[in-house]
């Protein structure tokens, strides 16, 4: 919202400096984002004296003027008929940009050089006269910038209004705030309607068929008008706030809208079929051409202003091409209405139109300001357009919104704001912005809300008014009372950060996805209906179909991220995400929230270098990643067990496992099922692991126990067994651990072999066992006895054989 200071001063005296005014407005909740000097371009327009004039050798109507600029002379080619020697006139110097967008440059006109431009008042936007040069009066020294010479200054404040303050979308609305800041009185334009003739009821009528969309519609008729350019003062007012003058009738409607905040529309009365207005909703698929020349396809609930046969405007949004004001218009019907803000918002959004009118209507205009703006526009059309006002006004009204009367507690206000304002001071602050207050008790005020404050509906809104009227910078700053004891951060936060650090150290990149997913995400993961993750919580007003429900798994978002990266030809991916999932417990209960961690690995194991060959990642890479995370968290004991097909439908059977810690399942690891990859259009294998952080946290130790480094050397022995191929190698490692031999330091698998000469259905598994004592160097005989005992136990337990 732009406000010209000179226009503002028509309604309220502004005695303070503009910077001070901007600060006070900002502290009152009306943030001034920028201040511009409207006549700054006149810095490059100088007072110049024409010293000599000679004919142009190649043009009869042009002259060569030698101009004194105060710092020398220059030659200017000029065609103004009133140019005369000794005359003072404005000279636009090279580089000056004029209001019409022209940039003055050194040029050659009919073979003669011109080093500037002598200007008329119209070219400088300082008047309407474009018949000749602007003659400057008085003893002005040449070389003085024109804005200084004529003392032209007008600051334009650009105010960033929040959507709840439509009352300030007008000059009078801002003047009301300025008057309260400076304890001044606002001067509203006095309306004196001229003499009238005829009766409007005999000429036209207004029928509202959709009162829920349009509770009020008022109209006046002006006859015998002359359409033409607006007077300079009116054009100047519109230009000061960034509007383009069109003609006197349209300019008046725009001027009154900017002045009062009430959008108006002027129809060519003779182009209205049957000379009447019908307010109704559109028919589905109805076509209509708006003033911008675009054909719109309407929907059934869009409000239309119609004549006796056809639509002539989209109500509250934009007029139609079939009833616009043109130079031949002699009779005008002026519309001033109150429209339902929600209806206008929906219509403007669907049609993709953001007009000055819709911007105000969708936020809410003053329901009682309709008639004032209508009469103001009628008066100006009679005065400026030389028209005749038809007697009477049609004003059809249904159930208009009523401004509420509220009770305001003084103690509650001070408690909320942290202030100590007296009751009478609160009453004064509200009265100055036209709230009507009455004392109801020592601690209570009754406050009647003015009709233009459509945003005030509860006691807290009044408290906000008190705060901003005091000035936000005048509210004392207080600090919350903090306990002296230091509270440790929650375990989840610290351990989650440790997981991030560990994964980042392994080359993984964190992703952050929306908590909203497609309602088909469970089907895409092939989850059975009995799975708790199928209990999805629907979003009441989703942004799109892809964000219709709260996520019950982090995996869909991770697979979407992978798909998006693959589409950008980024195929080597190591990604992770930590966040909440939401399991619905029914409409009347809060969902269960779980913290999860998911990581994905796809593409090559390492980025290809000149000395390496690409090797695709596999199950053991992602398994190693989760082992690294758990080892970094000091979680033990960890084992991986077989995952049956019915236990997880989105991982590939045989390339997946459950992650067990101390006998409790904390997550899954494996290859994403090819059918799931197909649904997400993934053209390469993906490996993931997911951890349930609530189940994992109890197994993360709070403290770390120190163990001294061994003093004595280790010794290793290898064992190779022939056993059934269905036996997991992890079972063999676990059996050795369960024997709890104090000299066994480490057991690891180092080879697996199948094929001839080993019998089909069996495999060769080789283990390396490392022995060490903390008290002495082990003898071979002692190690061999222990190693044989372990080997015999493995052979007996797994019905294994030894290689021959």
């Amino acid at each position: 919202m732009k406000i010209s200071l000179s226009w503002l001063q028509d309604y309220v005296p502004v005695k303070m400096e503009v910077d001070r005014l901007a600060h006070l407005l900002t502290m009152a909740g009306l943030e001034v984002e920028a201040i511009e000097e409207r006549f700054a371009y006149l810095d490059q327009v100088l007072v110049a004296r024409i010293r000599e004039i000679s004919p142009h050798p190649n043009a009869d109507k042009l002259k060569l003027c030698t101009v004194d600029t105060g710092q020398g002379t220059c030659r200017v080619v000029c065609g103004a008929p009133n140019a005369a020697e000794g005359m003072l006139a404005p000279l636009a110097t090279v580089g000056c940009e004029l209001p019409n967008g022209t940039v003055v440059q050194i040029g050659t006109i009919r073979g003669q050089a011109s080093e500037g431009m002598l200007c008329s008042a119209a070219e400088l936007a300082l008047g309407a006269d474009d018949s000749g040069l602007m003659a400057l009066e008085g003893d002005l020294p040449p070389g003085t910038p024109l804005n200084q010479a004529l003392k032209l200054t007008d600051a334009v404040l650009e105010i960033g209004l929040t959507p709840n303050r439509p009352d300030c979308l007008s000059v009078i609305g801002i003047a009301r705030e300025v008057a309260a800041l400076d304890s001044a009185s606002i001067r509203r334009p006095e309306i004196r309607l001229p003499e009238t003739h005829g009766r409007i009821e005999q000429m036209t009528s207004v029928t509202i068929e959709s009162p829920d969309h349009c509770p009020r519609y008022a109209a006046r008729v002006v006859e015998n008008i002359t359409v033409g350019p607006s007077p300079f003062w009116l054009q100047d007012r519109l230009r000061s706030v960034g509007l383009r003058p069109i003609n006197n009738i349209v300019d008046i409607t725009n001027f009154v809208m900017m002045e009062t905040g009430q959008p108006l529309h002027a129809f060519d009365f003779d182009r209205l079929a049957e000379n009447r207005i019908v307010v109704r909703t559109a028919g589905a698929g109805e076509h209509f051409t708006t003033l911008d020349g675009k054909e719109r396809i309407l929907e059934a609930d869009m409000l239309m202003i119609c004549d006796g046969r056809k639509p002539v405007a989209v109500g509250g949004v934009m007029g139609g091409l079939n009833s616009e004001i043109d130079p031949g218009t002699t009779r005008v019907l002026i519309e001033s209405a109150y429209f339902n803000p929600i209806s206008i918002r929906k219509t403007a959004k669907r049609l993709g139109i953001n007009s000055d009118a819709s911007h105000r209507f969708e936020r809410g205009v003053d329901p009682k300001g309709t008639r004032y703006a209508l009469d103001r526009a009628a008066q100006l059309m009679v005065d400026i357009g030389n028209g005749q006002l038809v007697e009477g006004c049609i004003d059809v009204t249904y159930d208009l919104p009523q401004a509420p009367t509220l009770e305001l507690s003084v103690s509650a206000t001070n408690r909320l704001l942290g202030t100590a304002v007296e009751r009478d001071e609160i009453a004064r602050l509200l009265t100055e912005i036209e709230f009507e207050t009455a004392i109801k008790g020592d601690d209570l005020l009754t406050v009647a809300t003015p009709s233009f404050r459509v945003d005030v509906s509860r006691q807290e809104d009044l408290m906000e008014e008190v705060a901003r009227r005091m000035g936000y910078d005048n509210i004392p700053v207080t600090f919350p009372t903090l306990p002296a004891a230091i509270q440790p951060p929650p375990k989840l936060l610290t351990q989650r950060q440790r997981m991030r650090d560990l994964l980042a150290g392994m080359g993984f990149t964190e992703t952050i996805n929306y908590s909203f997913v497609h309602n088909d995400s469970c089907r895409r993961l092939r989850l059975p209906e009995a799975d708790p993750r199928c209990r999805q919580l629907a979003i009441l007003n989703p942004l799109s179909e892809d964000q219709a429900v709260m996520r019950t798994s982090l995996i869909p978002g991770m697979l979407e991220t992978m798909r998006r990266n693959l589409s950008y030809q980024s195929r080597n991916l190591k990604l992770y995400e930590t966040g909440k999932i939401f399991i619905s417990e029914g409409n009347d209960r809060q969902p269960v929230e779980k913290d999860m961690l998911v990581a994905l690995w796809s593409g090559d194991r390492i980025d290809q270098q000149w000395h390496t060959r690409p090797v695709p990642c596999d199950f053991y890479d992602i398994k190693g990643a989760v082992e690294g995370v758990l080892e970094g968290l000091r979680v033990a004991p960890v084992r991986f067990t077989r995952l049956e097909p019915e236990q997880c439908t989105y991982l590939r059977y045989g390339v997946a496992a459950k992650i067990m810690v101390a006998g409790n399942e904390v997550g899954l690891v494996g290859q994403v099922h090819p059918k799931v990859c197909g649904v997400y259009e993934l053209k390469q294998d993906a490996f993931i692991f997911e951890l349930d952080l609530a189940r994992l946290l109890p197994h993360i130790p709070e403290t770390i126990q120190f163990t001294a480094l061994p003093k004595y050397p280790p010794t290793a022995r290898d064992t190779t067994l022939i056993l059934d191929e269905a036996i997991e190698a992890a079972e063999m490692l676990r059996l050795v651990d369960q024997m709890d031999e104090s000299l066994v330091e480490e057991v690891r698998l180092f080879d697996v072999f199948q094929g001839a000469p080993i019998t089909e259905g069996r495999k060769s598994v080789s283990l390396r066992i490392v022995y060490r004592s903390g008290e002495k160097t082990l003898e071979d005989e002692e190690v061999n006895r222990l190693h044989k005992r372990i080997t015999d136990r493995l052979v007996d337990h797994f019905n294994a054989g030894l290689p021959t």
Side-chain angles (χ1 to χ4, degrees):
M1 175 69 186
K2 290 186 175 182
I3 292 291
S4 161
L5 192 60
S6 63
W7 193 354
L8 186 66
Q9 287 176 327
D10 289 346
Y11 312 99
V12 62
V14 181
K15 302 174 184 177
M16 65 188 80
E17 294 293 328
V18 66
D19 290 342
R20 174 66 177 165
L21 175 62
H23 172 75
L24 291 177
L25 286 173
T26 300
M27 290 300 103
L30 308 177
E31 182 183 3
V32 178
E33 297 176 340
I35 303 174
E36 298 178 359
E37 174 51 54
R38 189 154 68 93
F39 296 111
Y41 66 94
L42 295 180
D43 280 339
Q44 293 180 279
V45 180
L46 306 178
V47 174
R49 188 178 296 277
I50 302 176
R51 293 297 186 187
E52 182 181 349
I53 296 178
S54 59
H56 193 292
N58 303 318
D60 294 337
K61 295 184 178 180
L62 297 179
K63 305 169 186 176
L64 301 179
C65 300
T66 301
V67 177
D68 179 6
T69 64
Q71 297 180 349
T73 61
C74 65
R75 174 178 284 189
V76 177
V77 177
C78 177
N82 65 333
E85 292 183 354
M87 178 182 184
L88 284 175
L91 172 69
T93 58
V94 175
C96 174
E97 183 175 354
L98 300 178
N100 61 7
T102 301
V103 178
V104 178
Q105 298 176 343
I106 297 177
T108 302
I109 302 176
R110 293 290 187 94
Q112 297 295 316
S114 182
E115 301 174 313
M117 177 178 173
L118 292 168
C119 302
S120 67
E123 289 168 330
L124 297 176
L126 298 178
D129 186 6
D130 60 356
S131 61
L133 298 182
M134 179 179 181
L136 302 177
E137 304 293 337
D139 188 17
L140 301 176
T144 306
L146 191 62
N147 52 356
Q148 296 180 22
L150 300 182
K151 297 181 180 179
L152 290 173
T153 179
D154 187 14
V156 176
L157 282 66
E158 187 166 349
I159 302 176
L161 292 175
T162 52
N164 67 318
R165 292 304 305 274
D167 59 298
C168 289
L169 286 169
S170 65
V171 183
I172 289 179
I174 300 297
R176 185 186 300 117
E177 295 290 325
V178 174
L181 291 173
D182 209 17
S183 299
S185 298
I186 186 172
R187 301 187 298 264
R188 288 181 173 81
E190 184 179 354
I191 298 176
R192 294 181 179 177
L193 294 177
E195 293 184 1
T196 58
H197 71 284
R199 288 294 302 172
I200 192 171
E201 292 83 358
Q202 299 172 357
M203 300 178 61
T204 186
S205 65
V206 172
T207 303
I208 300 178
E209 297 181 357
S210 301
D212 53 334
H213 289 73
C214 176
R216 186 177 189 181
Y217 193 101
R220 281 190 178 275
V221 174
V222 181
E223 295 186 308
N224 301 322
I225 63 166
T226 302
V227 177
S230 298
F232 174 74
W233 71 265
L234 180 53
Q235 294 187 33
D236 185 62
R237 284 286 182 252
L238 295 178
R239 287 195 184 100
S240 72
V241 294
L243 296 182
R244 178 176 60 88
I246 299 174
N247 60 53
N248 52 359
I249 303 303
V250 175
D251 291 350
I252 287 169
T253 61
N254 287 334
F255 173 82
V256 175
M257 176 184 69
M258 296 305 300
E259 181 183 61
T260 66
Q262 170 68 47
L264 305 172
H265 192 74
F267 295 101
D268 186 325
F269 187 70
D270 293 317
R271 299 174 71 176
L272 297 176
E274 301 176 12
N275 295 134
R276 66 190 183 96
I277 292 291
V278 178
V279 184
R280 62 170 175 82
T281 53
E286 191 172 356
H287 289 245
F288 181 68
T289 303
T290 47
L291 278 171
D292 56 5
K294 296 181 181 180
E295 186 176 64
R296 315 281 180 173
I297 301 177
L298 308 176
E299 298 180 21
D301 59 345
M302 292 182 177
L303 184 67
M304 301 300 295
I305 310 301
C306 308
D307 58 19
R309 301 172 188 167
K310 63 186 182 301
V312 292
V314 182
V317 179
M318 186 174 286
L321 201 61
N322 56 4
S323 61
E324 69 173 333
I325 303 298
D326 59 31
T329 299
T330 59
R331 297 197 294 175
V332 170
L333 183 141
I334 312 169
E335 166 197 282
S336 181
Y338 176 82
F339 298 116
N340 184 299
I342 296 176
S343 169
I344 302 303
R345 172 68 174 167
K346 289 181 178 179
T347 299
K349 192 75 173 176
R350 292 174 185 171
L351 295 179
I353 301 175
N354 183 21
S355 63
D356 288 324
S358 67
H359 185 76
R360 287 162 174 77
F361 277 128
E362 67 190 23
R363 284 159 173 77
V365 299
D366 182 359
K368 295 183 179 179
T370 304
R371 183 65 177 271
Y372 177 85
L374 178 65
D375 292 346
R376 173 76 165 145
Q379 177 191 35
L380 291 173
M381 286 186 188
V382 171
D383 293 342
I384 297 173
N386 298 318
Q388 292 180 299
L389 182 64
V390 174
E391 183 179 352
C393 171
I394 296 177
D395 191 351
V396 182
T397 302
Y398 287 87
D399 294 329
L400 287 173
Q402 299 299 314
T405 297
L406 306 170
E407 290 186 348
L408 178 63
S409 168
V410 176
S411 59
T413 300
N414 285 318
R415 184 172 60 252
L416 184 67
L417 301 182
T419 56
V421 189
E422 297 293 335
R423 180 197 61 190
D424 293 344
E425 177 66 8
I426 290 177
R428 183 187 68 80
L429 292 173
L430 294 175
T431 302
E432 286 182 344
I433 50 175
E434 301 187 22
F435 286 79
E436 296 181 7
T437 62
I439 297 173
K440 193 174 182 181
D442 293 339
D443 187 58
L444 207 60
L445 290 172
T446 301
V447 183
T449 305
S451 61
F452 56 80
R453 289 305 303 271
V454 296
D455 60 308
V456 177
S457 60
R458 54 181 183 166
Q459 180 179 234
E460 288 75 10
D461 295 329
L462 294 177
M463 295 177 183
E464 181 183 358
E465 291 302 300
V466 173
R468 70 178 196 84
R469 286 288 294 113
M470 290 176 59
Y472 291 128
D473 54 346
N474 292 324
I475 296 178
V477 177
T478 58
F479 297 95
T481 302
L482 298 176
I486 299 176
Q487 296 293 329
K491 185 176 181 180
L492 175 62
L493 295 181
T494 57
Q495 299 303 333
R496 191 160 54 189
Q497 186 57 50
R498 288 180 63 189
M499 296 177 199
R500 288 193 177 102
D501 294 340
L502 291 166
L503 286 166
M506 289 185 275
F508 283 78
T509 300
E510 185 174 13
T511 67
I512 300 176
N513 292 299
Y514 285 112
S515 296
F516 316 130
V517 295
H518 197 286
N519 57 11
D520 206 23
S521 59
C522 292
R523 184 194 64 80
R524 294 176 181 179
L525 290 183
R526 306 171 68 236
L527 296 178
E529 292 184 4
D531 194 300
R533 288 170 292 184
C534 289
R535 302 202 303 266
Q536 296 174 316
L537 183 65
I539 306 298
L540 292 179
N541 188 23
L543 298 175
S544 67
E545 184 180 348
D546 290 336
Q547 299 178 346
V549 297
M550 301 294 288
R551 64 187 179 188
T552 57
S553 171
L554 300 185
I555 294 176
M558 187 62 72
L559 297 180
E560 283 288 352
T561 301
M562 177 179 171
R563 182 190 61 78
R564 188 163 52 252
N565 278 272
L566 292 179
S567 69
Y568 289 120
Q569 305 302 313
S570 179
R571 59 176 301 273
N572 295 332
L573 303 172
K574 295 171 73 176
L575 308 172
Y576 77 92
E577 180 179 10
T578 177
K580 290 184 180 295
I581 63 172
F582 306 86
I583 308 298
S584 176
E585 293 290 299
N587 294 333
D588 56 343
R589 299 176 61 186
Q590 290 292 323
V592 175
E593 300 184 20
K594 294 184 178 182
D595 287 279
M596 303 290 291
L597 171 67
V598 167
L600 176 144
W601 196 334
S602 183
D604 295 338
R605 181 172 296 158
I606 59 173
D607 291 335
Q608 185 176 355
Q609 304 292 334
W610 66 270
H611 60 288
T612 62
R613 298 177 61 185
V615 177
C617 65
D618 57 22
F619 168 79
Y620 297 102
D621 292 308
I622 195 69
K623 178 174 176 286
V626 71
E627 286 176 328
V629 171
L630 296 177
E631 183 179 352
L633 297 174
R634 306 292 194 273
V635 174
V638 178
R639 65 185 181 92
F640 297 84
T641 63
R642 187 191 308 274
L643 190 63
E644 299 301 330
E646 65 275 6
Q647 293 177 311
C648 184
T649 54
Y650 52 84
L651 294 182
R652 182 178 178 182
Y653 176 64
V655 198
K658 292 187 288 185
I659 306 170
M660 310 293 292
V661 177
N664 299 308
E665 181 182 340
V666 298
L668 303 173
V669 60
Q671 180 183 351
V672 178
H673 198 287
K675 291 185 178 180
V676 176
C677 288
V679 171
Y680 284 94
E681 301 178 357
L682 305 179
K683 298 181 180 180
Q684 65 186 43
D685 292 339
F687 300 88
I688 65 168
F689 75 77
E690 59 179 337
L691 295 172
D692 187 330
L693 300 188
R695 295 182 181 180
L696 180 62
L697 282 181
H699 301 287
I700 301 176
E702 297 286 347
T703 58
I704 299 174
Q705 186 173 359
F706 170 77
T707 301
L709 293 175
K711 298 180 181 180
Y712 301 98
T715 183
R717 298 289 188 272
D718 295 341
T719 294
T720 299
L721 302 176
I722 310 297
L723 40 71
D724 190 274
E725 65 177 356
I727 296 175
E728 297 178 1
E731 293 294 327
M732 301 173 66
L733 302 178
R734 189 159 49 253
L735 180 61
V736 176
D737 286 339
Q738 290 173 353
M739 292 178 69
D740 196 22
E741 295 288 349
S742 61
L743 297 182
V744 175
E745 181 180 74
E746 181 185 4
V747 184
R748 62 176 178 267
L749 172 73
F750 73 89
D751 187 56
V752 177
F753 177 77
Q754 284 183 277
I758 298 175
T759 308
E760 185 177 354
R762 294 177 72 80
K763 64 183 177 181
S764 168
V765 178
S766 298
L767 303 180
R768 178 161 295 162
I769 305 176
V770 178
Y771 301 93
R772 191 198 302 263
S773 171
E775 300 174 353
K776 62 180 180 177
T777 300
L778 295 174
E779 300 289 341
D780 284 346
E781 183 178 351
E782 183 180 7
V783 172
N784 291 338
R785 285 198 307 270
L786 177 57
H787 186 70
K788 184 178 185 305
R789 187 163 68 250
I790 294 173
T791 302
D792 292 343
R793 177 70 184 277
L794 289 171
V795 170
D796 293 341
H797 189 273
F798 293 108
N799 191 25
L802 298 173
T804 57

